Amino acid sequence: MSGTFVGMPAFPEAARAALGDTQLRHNLAHATGVIRAKRAAVVGELEEAGIWEDLRLAGAAVKQRALDDLATHLETLERTLTEAGATVHWARDAAEANAVVARVARAHGADEVVKVKSMATQEIGLNEALEAEGIAAWETDLAELIVQLGDDLPSHILVPAIHRNRAEIREIFLRRMADVGRPAPADLSDDPAVLAGAAREHLREKFLRAKVGVSGANFAVAETGTLVVVESEGNGRMCLTLPEVLVSVVGIEKVVPTWAELDPLLRLLPRSSTGERMNPYTSTWSGVTDPDGGDGGADGPREVHVVLLDNGRTRALADDVGRQALRCIRCSACLNVCPVYERTGGHAYGSVYPGPIGAILNPLLHGQGDPQTDSLPYASSLCGACFEACPVRIDIPEVLVHLRSKVVDSHRGDRVPKPEALAMRAAAWAFSDASRLGLVEKASGLSGRVLARLSRTTLPGGRPAAGRLPGPGAAAWTGARDLPAPPRESFRAWWARTDGGRTEPGPGVGGEQATDLPGRPVADAPPPEPPAAQPGSAVGRQPVPEPERLPAHRSPSAPADPTGARAEVLDRVRAALAGVVPTPEPVPAPVGPVGTPAQVLDLFAERVADYRAVVERVAVADLAAHVAGLFAPTDRVVVPDGTAEALLAALGERAVPDDALSWADLDGVDAVLTSASVGVAETGTIVLDHGPGQGRRALSLVPDRHVVVVRADQVVPDVPDAVDRLAAAVRAGRALTWISGPSATSDIELDRVEGVHGPRRLHVLLVADPATAVDRG
């Protein structure tokens, strides 16, 4: 083990600065503690149902199946996206990806773009690249807006501005908003709801006028050509829906083979990231929706570009041990349990990917040789908490040790050994000979007695601590850590003196009483029980099953590839996976228990209310009258094509038909009334497939109040049932909008605020029909 640490890079300066920033450490401790508690509550529900670990295994297997035959799935994704009207581009690196986005924006005369929160675009430096081309890139996620206006860097995957408190955010808004658009109100307070409202007003005009939107994707389903974006605030839906042109930059590792295999990932991600059963908004779309009518006029961008990005991913794919890091679904669960991240924050990692996943992903993407990158695998205690939290079972400790060994190997030929290397060589010299080790132990005991007298610091348990050691490296190391003083007596000396504790209890190592019970020496203790599985240990881990695999299928033909990027990326993928046999069959996911039809409806109503939405049960015969009473006489309520005649009659002159209304027109109405396609009881989610009565995606997004009618026979028990029921709509090319409560954010000190960029109010009418049975059939 000693060789593992030879050549360990110096502790990053940013990490040392973070350790001394008490406000930052307080913010991080509060944030990670709150998120951990929320996650534990919703994960606990599935643990009680006995399916959480099976769900993790399924999620890991789905992602691994995609990686093991990545070239085939990428070719399938390209084909299905192209058939749906999208233009697919391939990018070997950041420069090629940035060039595609800039070229598309210039082709449409756009001098600005609106962006969905996307780690891939941060990774490639898209904002800076567009700025160099004279194109402004507006971040629209609240936390990313705070970071951008503050000329800052993100510090967390989920809540990038968690290092900022509300007073700092208020100051940033007052100082910078006027420079880039609508100024903040002069009387702006630091209340999170007021700050979120200021961001809403600042960005609303940008959304309504934008020609080009830019996004990433959480998942890309090869079978159906479906891209998936998971978010909370509604800014993602704005960027995906309102601009005429959409460019999505998608890492090649985001591929999911089939629509059905999306199910476990949709259940794992929100629970592991925001601590919710389902995030407020999940948008899925496949290429370009028919712009010439369809079910109510243009629905979404009329031009879609997808950039499939390598940028080091094939380097990571070629690493047999590190390959599993590409399973990451960017949930940030590992950050929230990591004792190192909690004390240093994301800036210390020098990358858009912080925390334990960043400590392995950055070296895998970029290779070794940079001191900052080489230091990252050492930014861990190897406690294993990250593995236990990871929803797709990435064995981060295993990869950390593997990468440490690569750092060591890279320094074996150094002419001038590093101080750590010299120290390890000295240790090897001492440990290789018993007499030399004895001399070192005596010297250590003497120094321990001296330091004990001089020490002013006592560690838990009463052991003295050494002070700050001399020398640049040692001083930096001990300046941020408590170093226990060496024990006064070595274990071997104590053993020889006491005959293993038989002749007298005596002091043990460090001078402590060597007993396990009062008055009972350790030597008389019964033999220990076999060790239980500990977090992060190999004991008790369940390996991801390895089904029988068949040879990969190769596409007989390939599209035109003028830049050569497509061929090169696919060749890199195939070379990285040489010898890996793919898994042919889709991965099944576990299904939870199902109650009676009445229990399912009760659960649906309860879970909808959990999101601070209003839910009411209405009899079929009373629906029209009830809808009429929901709105004031002067309200203007937009209604999509296909709305029931009885509801139109009930609204009377208040009904505003969606006759291809402009975004500004939608922004001026009071509410929208739609039906739904599916309701999900377990998560309290309503899904619209934008068929008759459901309208364009913008209808349920731009107006400030959304009233939605859900029939009892549309309510299914859980996400797997919804995925199955919606499969036909997805294969037909329909976009889906999954809604769980009103739009919301917790980006300001984790205080939840409803109504950021989407509707502030969601009102669900559950129409009961006693003749309807709810089941999985």
Side-chain angles (χ1 to χ4, degrees), residues 468-512:
R468 190 163 185 156
L469 298 180
W477 201 91
T478 53
R481 301 168 175 82
D482 293 321
L483 178 66
R488 299 183 182 185
E489 183 177 29
S490 71
F491 176 78
R492 292 202 306 171
W494 171 83
W495 186 273
R497 182 173 60 80
T498 66
D499 190 22
R502 292 183 179 86
T503 58
E504 59 176 288
V509 176
E512 298 300 324

Side-chain angles (χ1 to χ4, degrees), residues 434-447:
S435 61
R436 290 198 291 262
L437 181 59
L439 292 173
V440 172
E441 287 175 341
K442 288 180 181 179
S444 174
L446 177 61
S447 66

Side-chain angles (χ1 to χ4, degrees), residues 43 52 118 126 135 188 194 197 385 394 430 484 488 491 501 507 544 549 561 566 585 712 758 772:
V43 167
W52 176 249
S118 162
L126 178 62
I135 302 168
L188 183 70
V194 174
I394 300 170
R488 299 183 182 185
F491 176 78
V544 177
R549 302 179 179 192
D561 185 20
R566 178 186 188 276
E585 298 299 326
T772 301

Side-chain angles (χ1 to χ4, degrees), residues 222-247:
E223 175 193 32
T224 56
T226 303
L227 299 184
V228 183
V229 165
V230 173
E231 50 124 2
S232 298
E233 297 177 9
N235 65 297
R237 291 184 63 195
M238 290 281 186
C239 295
L240 300 172
T241 304
L242 304 189
E244 296 177 5
V245 181
L246 173 65
V247 187

Side-chain angles (χ1 to χ4, degrees), residues 7 70 107 140 216 228 252 281 379 536 548 563 614 620 704 767 774:
L70 185 57
T140 61
V228 183
I252 56 175
Y281 295 131
E548 182 182 355
T563 67
V614 175
V620 175
D704 204 34
V767 181
V774 180

Side-chain angles (χ1 to χ4, degrees), residues 11-22 24-25 343-344 347-348 480:
F11 198 52
E13 185 64 35
R16 289 198 294 271
L19 289 171
D21 188 336
T22 55
L24 172 65
R25 294 178 65 176
R343 286 157 179 80
T344 64
H347 294 156

Side-chain angles (χ1 to χ4, degrees), residues 546-590:
E546 294 286 344
E548 182 182 355
R549 302 179 179 192
L550 299 177
H553 167 72
R554 300 302 179 196
S555 175
S557 61
D561 185 20
T563 67
R566 178 186 188 276
E568 185 171 338
V569 171
L570 289 173
D571 284 347
R572 290 176 183 177
V573 171
R574 294 187 180 106
L577 296 172
V580 176
V581 182
T583 303
E585 298 299 326
V587 177

